[in-house]
């Protein structure tokens, strides 16, 4: 069996899938392939996300929250989000000032659709650096596999189709940073990773991991000083500490960081109990297995996979079960890392193992594609307007612009662009909302609002004299006296 190359060996073409070394591909070809794939996936992401919004599947948590924040930024105001509570400053929840960059676009196009399209345009370019690097390492066919596997990866697809989240900025930054690390370009890796400090507070730990890898590479090569990498690691750790211990508590009404309690389940912290959470319950094994399979298992040979450790650590140690599995948007930031690790690993294994790894990655992409929303593009029922959707729109049309509304989760997301919206399960402040809109058949009505809380507040509004204007098929519309 051919000997494997060292971790620091230069990229080499793989036998079999690559073009003959005597006839290197034109420089423009990988650029066209990469940006063509990015454009195609951006269109698919936007198509699915906007259509889901059209069908009323978007939610106050989180599209409504981020729209209220960006809307405030667009008008030069602090990101106060009534959906989270009266006077709630969103920078007291998570540190994501980079979303203010969307304010100019929202000012011109004031709609949640603006955020959904922006997310598609942000996430899709993650395909570009990975496709181009794969082309360098193993040729056009492998580049096509890696590009499609990135764009159709289950983590990115889920995030792109599921409302809007700040990590849309992190996905391309991580793709470019991980690729720069793999190409042994430490300055580029550092510059691509630094903006992550403005995306979310936990990503400072990922920046620190980038710094550690830069220092490790310098130490192995012995041609560069590891001090710049160690300095970057220090910046990442310091930024996380500053945001969690100082900035977030300063904006939080309770004066603290709301997510500490998720490490101990709301009880007293036990350092000895925390490691036991890494592998239990077994749903966490599914997450780890699917990540490894996405990397074709060969990606585990690459040091780049260590960039996953900070995100996996807080997810697996948390007491919040939403973080453990393969749903929601939390795995999007891991996709460019594990696929960059796969590309890096292709330089370390023989041709047979490389083909096997690529086959596993392609299989994972094919199997997960029908399980995540991207397949809705070709589903006729996803494009139909049901009678209930028509009834829901008629209910919402009765609410005038600039009104104050207490609404259930999905209805709230349809109203934030033109009304001041709060959640129906929250106690009103002052005289109460002018309108109350509830969809009792909304499956998301249990969270963030418990069904019992919604029912209780509906009784409160009726006792206060709110008149019911609509009450059919689980749709309720009440108006203040």
């Amino acid at each position: 069996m051919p000997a494997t190359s060292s971790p620091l060996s230069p990229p080499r073409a793989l036998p079999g899938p690559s073009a003959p070394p005597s006839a290197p591909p034109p420089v423009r070809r990988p650029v066209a392939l990469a940006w063509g794939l990015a454009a195609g996936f951006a269109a698919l992401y936007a198509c699915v996300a906007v259509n889901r919004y059209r069908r009323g599947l978007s939610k106050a948590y989180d599209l409504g929250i981020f729209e209220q924040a960006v809307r405030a930024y667009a008008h030069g105001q602090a990101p106060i989000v009534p959906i989270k509570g009266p006077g709630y400053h969103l920078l007291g929840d998570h540190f994501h000032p980079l979303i203010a960059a969307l304010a100019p676009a929202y000012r011109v196009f004031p709609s949640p659709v603006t955020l959904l399209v922006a997310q598609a345009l942000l996430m899709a370019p993650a395909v570009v650096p990975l496709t181009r690097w794969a082309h360098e390492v193993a040729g056009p066919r492998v580049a096509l596999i890696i590009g499609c596997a990135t764009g159709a990866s289950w983590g990115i697809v889920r995030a792109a189709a599921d409302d809007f989240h700040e990590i849309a900025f992190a996905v391309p930054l991580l793709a470019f940073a991980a690729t720069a690390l793999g190409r042994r370009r430490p300055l580029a890796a550092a510059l691509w990773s630094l903006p992550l400090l403005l995306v979310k507070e936990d990503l400072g730990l990922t920046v620190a991991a980038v710094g550690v890898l830069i220092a490790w590479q310098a130490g192995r090569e012995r041609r560069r000083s590891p001090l710049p990498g160690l300095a970057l690691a220090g910046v990442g750790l310091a930024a996380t500490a500053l945001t969690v211990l100082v900035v977030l508590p300063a904006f939080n009404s309770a004066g603290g960081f709301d997510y500490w309690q998720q490490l101990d389940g709301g009880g007293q912290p036990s350092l000895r109990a925390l490691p036991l959470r890494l592998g239990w319950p077994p749903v966490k094994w599914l997450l780890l297995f699917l990540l490894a399979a996405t990397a074709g298992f060969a990606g585990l040979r690459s040091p780049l996979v260590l960039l996953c450790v900070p995100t996996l650590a807080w997810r697996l140690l948390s007491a919040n079960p939403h973080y453990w599995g393969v749903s929601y948007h939390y795995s999007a930031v891991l996709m460019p890392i594990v696929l960059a690790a796969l590309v890096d690993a292709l330089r370390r294994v023989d041709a047979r193992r490389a083909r096997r790894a690529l086959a596993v990655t392609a299989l994972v992409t094919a199997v997960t594609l029908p399980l995540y929303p991207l397949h809705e593009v070709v589903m006729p029922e996803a494009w139909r307007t049901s009678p209930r959707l028509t009834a829901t729109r008629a209910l919402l049309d009765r609410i005038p612009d600039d009104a104050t509304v207490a609404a259930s989760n999905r209805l709230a997301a349809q109203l934030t662009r033109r009304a001041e919206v709060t959640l129906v399960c929250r106690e009103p402040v002052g005289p109460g909302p002018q309108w109350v809109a509830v969809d009792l058949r909304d499956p998301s009505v249990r969270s963030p609002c418990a069904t019992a809380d919604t029912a209780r507040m509906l009784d409160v509004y009726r006792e206060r004299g709110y008149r019911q204007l609509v009450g059919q098929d689980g749709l309720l519309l009440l108006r203040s006296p």
Side-chain angles (χ1 to χ4, degrees):
M1 182 177 296
T4 59
S5 58
S6 72
L8 300 173
S9 59
R12 62 179 176 84
L14 294 173
S18 62
S22 59
V27 175
R28 293 182 180 178
R29 187 176 180 184
V31 174
L33 173 63
W35 283 105
L37 287 174
F41 280 112
L44 289 174
Y45 298 160
C47 190
V48 171
V50 173
N51 188 49
R52 288 173 71 85
Y53 174 77
R54 180 194 70 85
R55 294 161 60 198
L57 300 181
S58 299
K59 302 176 287 294
Y61 273 56
D62 292 309
L63 180 60
I65 289 173
F66 282 105
E67 186 184 8
Q68 287 185 337
V70 174
R71 184 180 183 182
Y73 281 132
H75 291 85
Q77 301 168 357
I80 304 301
V81 177
I83 285 176
K84 293 282 288 185
Y88 192 97
H89 198 300
L90 198 59
L91 289 180
D93 184 42
H94 289 297
F95 186 71
H96 38 47
L98 197 55
I99 66 171
L102 300 176
Y106 187 88
R107 188 65 184 264
V108 178
F109 305 103
S111 167
V113 172
T114 301
L115 302 189
L116 297 175
V117 173
Q119 178 167 258
L121 295 176
L122 284 168
M123 285 190 168
V127 170
V128 174
L130 293 169
T131 302
R132 296 187 65 180
W133 187 26
H135 195 285
E136 292 176 8
V137 170
R141 285 180 290 177
V142 172
L144 181 62
I145 293 173
I146 295 296
C148 291
T150 304
S153 60
W154 50 276
I156 291 179
V157 167
R158 180 61 180 177
D162 189 18
D163 292 351
F164 174 88
H165 300 93
E166 70 283 281
I167 51 91
F169 288 92
V171 171
L173 291 172
L174 285 166
F176 280 97
T179 300
L181 273 175
R183 287 171 162 171
R184 305 301 188 266
R185 297 175 180 175
L187 179 59
L191 293 177
W192 280 114
S193 66
L194 280 172
L196 294 170
L197 301 177
L198 302 178
V199 177
K200 200 176 178 184
E201 65 278 359
D202 66 285
L203 289 173
L205 300 178
T206 303
V207 174
V210 172
V212 170
L213 285 182
I214 290 175
W216 178 79
Q217 288 177 350
R220 292 292 298 269
E221 292 176 356
R222 297 184 179 181
R223 291 179 298 177
R224 294 183 286 109
S225 170
L227 291 180
L230 295 177
L232 180 64
V235 168
L237 292 174
T240 295
L242 180 65
T243 54
V244 170
L245 300 177
V246 179
V247 178
L248 290 170
F251 289 106
N252 190 287
S253 59
F257 180 50
D258 285 341
Y259 298 90
W260 284 128
Q261 61 181 348
Q262 295 190 1
L263 288 178
D264 57 16
Q268 293 297 320
S270 173
L271 295 179
R272 287 183 296 179
L274 288 179
L276 298 178
R277 294 184 183 174
L278 289 173
W280 195 263
V283 66
K284 298 176 182 179
W285 305 347
L286 173 62
L287 170 63
L288 297 175
F289 173 81
L290 198 53
L291 287 171
T294 302
F297 297 109
L300 301 180
R301 300 168 60 100
S302 169
L304 295 180
V305 80
L306 296 176
L307 296 178
C308 294
V309 171
T311 297
L312 286 175
W314 70 256
R315 287 180 62 182
L316 299 182
L317 291 175
S318 173
N320 187 341
H322 291 159
Y323 298 154
W324 303 339
V326 295
S327 300
Y328 303 104
H329 60 282
Y330 302 111
S331 296
V333 296
L334 302 177
M335 297 295 101
I337 296 174
V338 297
L339 286 158
L342 171 59
V343 177
D344 189 39
L346 295 179
R347 306 183 301 176
R348 307 166 185 274
V349 299
D350 57 75
R352 181 175 57 85
R353 291 181 179 177
R355 285 192 288 268
R356 184 186 304 163
L358 290 168
V360 170
T361 298
L363 180 62
V364 170
T365 304
V367 169
T368 57
L369 197 58
L371 305 178
Y372 289 87
L374 202 62
H375 72 280
E376 293 178 2
V377 173
V378 295
M379 291 177 58
E381 57 269 26
W383 298 93
R384 298 190 183 111
T385 300
S386 67
R388 196 169 193 280
L389 179 56
T390 301
T392 301
R393 291 175 179 172
L395 179 150
L396 296 174
D397 287 343
R398 300 184 67 166
I399 300 174
D401 292 350
D402 300 320
T404 56
V405 187
S408 55
N409 199 17
R410 285 183 174 174
L411 295 185
Q414 301 291 318
L415 293 165
T416 48
R417 67 180 177 84
R418 62 182 183 89
E420 182 177 336
V421 184
T422 58
L423 288 177
V424 67
C425 59
R426 304 262 167 82
E427 290 284 350
V429 176
Q434 297 167 325
W435 298 82
V436 177
V438 176
D439 181 358
L440 295 177
R441 287 176 52 185
D442 177 0
S444 68
V445 77
R446 298 183 297 275
S447 177
C449 288
T451 303
D453 290 336
T454 299
R456 176 179 59 82
M457 287 308 303
L458 285 173
D459 291 338
V460 168
Y461 286 125
R462 291 188 179 105
E463 290 172 1
R464 294 185 181 182
Y466 279 67
R467 184 163 56 96
Q468 183 169 301
L469 303 182
V470 176
Q472 60 179 6
D473 200 19
L475 295 172
L476 301 177
L477 181 65
L478 283 67
R479 186 175 181 178
S480 63

